[in-house]
Amino acid sequence: MFAFLNKKDPVETTELKLDPKRIPAHVAIIMDGNGRWAKARHLPRVAGHKEGMNTVKKVTIAASNLGVKVLTLYAFSTENWKRPTDEVNYLMQLPVNFFETFVPDLIKNNVRVSVMGYTDKLPASTQKAVKDAIADTKDCDGMVLNFALNYGSRAEMVTGIQKIARQVAAGELAVDEIDDQTVDEALMTAPLAPYHDPDLLIRTSGEERLSNFLLWQIAYSELEFTDVKWPDFTATTLQACIAAFQSRDRRFGGLSAKK
Ligand code: V0D
């Protein structure tokens, strides 16, 4: 089923039958393969990032039209600083470019921008673009487009544990009161409630690993891996991933589907 998901060349099929009542509320994507896409075309890596940003725009509108509530995109990890300076500098310009070219479309589609990660470590111009995108879309109440920027799941958990420990030390919280919800509320996905946990996690470009992304939050997520490189990902690829998601029986540890 959905064999074309694993083809090098994504086939544009017209319609995939999706159950509109079982669209995953929160879809998270590890957008991998931009460099590989560029290399295959004898282009510099940054050409792949540029094309990848155009894919972000198309997939955002497609997800919003399908009724997704939260789309989380892994744009820059805490490890990506190890890349060549020129590439990092180019990446840091993308939110600026994105803001300049795409905010009107986001507003038209009622999409609100949100960001999670250690954004205070980003260049001032990047921080400003992110802040402006958040401010300009703050009244949109359709889908949330949530960028993970300078994000790492272990760092997020360390910060969350420190927050909880501080509440305990201040006498605001008893150790025995700490539960799943305490942790949910201490993580960077807390503002996405009730959709803080992804229902579906997609990773493009063939690698099957999590790379320090949302480790707590994906406890019960369905995982989809596709060989399609992020710049080649389309609305149809997204539909195929959601069709695969709908073909699965989610049990949440029990014996029958919860919903
Ligand atoms: C490059 C492919 C949009 C993956 C997508 C700073 C890597 C394009 C943003 C963006 C990146 C982030 C926040 C925001 C508005 C736009 C972005 C980065 C990389 C890293 F408020 N695409 N994009 N940010 N790429």
Side-chain angles (χ1 to χ4, degrees):
M1 234 192 294
F2 318 117
F4 78 85
L5 258 182
N6 290 316
K7 295 234 175 82
K8 294 264 165 348
D9 221 359
V11 178
E12 284 297 325
T13 56
T14 37
E15 277 300 296
L16 274 157
K17 278 177 237 84
L18 295 180
D19 177 353
K21 291 193 287 295
R22 290 166 57 233
I23 298 295
H26 184 170
V27 176
I29 309 182
I30 301 174
M31 306 181 289
D32 198 9
N34 301 288
R36 251 172 274 181
W37 180 93
K39 194 173 180 195
R41 284 160 183 75
H42 307 284
L43 295 169
R45 287 177 60 80
V46 296
H49 296 318
K50 185 181 176 190
E51 194 57 30
M53 196 185 73
N54 289 327
T55 304
V56 168
K57 296 177 183 176
K58 289 180 213 159
V59 171
T60 297
I61 303 304
S64 166
N65 288 340
L66 284 168
V68 170
K69 303 285 186 203
V70 178
L71 178 66
T72 294
L73 301 177
Y74 204 3
F76 194 86
S77 83
T78 49
E79 311 314 307
N80 288 154
W81 297 107
K82 294 175 195 158
R83 296 195 179 168
T85 315
D86 285 355
E87 186 178 341
V88 170
N89 289 343
Y90 186 90
L91 287 167
M92 290 304 151
Q93 269 295 114
L94 287 177
V96 179
N97 183 303
F98 184 92
F99 171 73
E100 285 168 356
T101 58
F102 198 51
V103 163
D105 287 310
L106 291 175
I107 295 170
K108 217 179 297 158
N109 285 276
N110 201 22
V111 174
R112 179 165 64 86
V113 172
S114 118
V115 172
M116 61 176 191
Y118 298 89
T119 51
D120 54 317
K121 301 289 186 293
L122 302 173
S125 54
T126 310
Q127 288 189 49
K128 183 180 179 339
V130 167
K131 255 195 201 157
D132 289 350
I134 293 169
D136 289 5
T137 60
K138 71 170 181 10
D139 296 327
C140 297
D141 59 2
M143 190 181 79
V144 175
L145 173 59
N146 179 42
F147 286 103
L149 265 191
N150 198 22
Y151 171 87
S153 187
R154 286 188 171 185
E156 175 195 37
M157 286 198 251
V158 169
T159 302
I161 289 163
Q162 290 170 338
K163 193 170 152 187
I164 293 167
R166 261 185 225 107
Q167 289 173 283
V168 171
E172 298 160 10
L173 181 68
V175 167
D176 292 335
E177 287 169 351
I178 298 171
D179 58 11
D180 273 31
Q181 196 190 327
T182 317
V183 178
D184 284 341
E185 287 169 0
L187 297 177
M188 291 170 173
T189 41
L192 304 171
Y195 308 118
H196 44 269
D197 295 339
D199 300 286
L200 170 62
L201 171 73
I202 300 166
R203 182 172 186 146
T204 60
S205 198
E207 304 300 339
E208 301 193 358
R209 53 177 175 261
L210 297 172
S211 301
N212 202 18
F213 190 49
L214 301 174
L215 300 178
W216 166 272
Q217 295 90 335
I218 61 156
Y220 291 105
S221 305
E222 298 293 333
L223 311 181
E224 274 296 313
F225 300 98
T226 167
D227 284 343
V228 175
K229 296 174 189 75
W230 179 249
D232 290 326
F233 197 94
T234 65
T236 306
T237 328
L238 177 66
Q239 285 174 35
C241 290
I242 294 177
F245 168 87
Q246 292 189 343
S247 75
R248 299 183 187 191
D249 174 22
R250 298 186 80 196
R251 293 169 183 238
F252 299 93
L255 288 176
S256 62
K258 187 174 127 182
K259 52 181 174 183

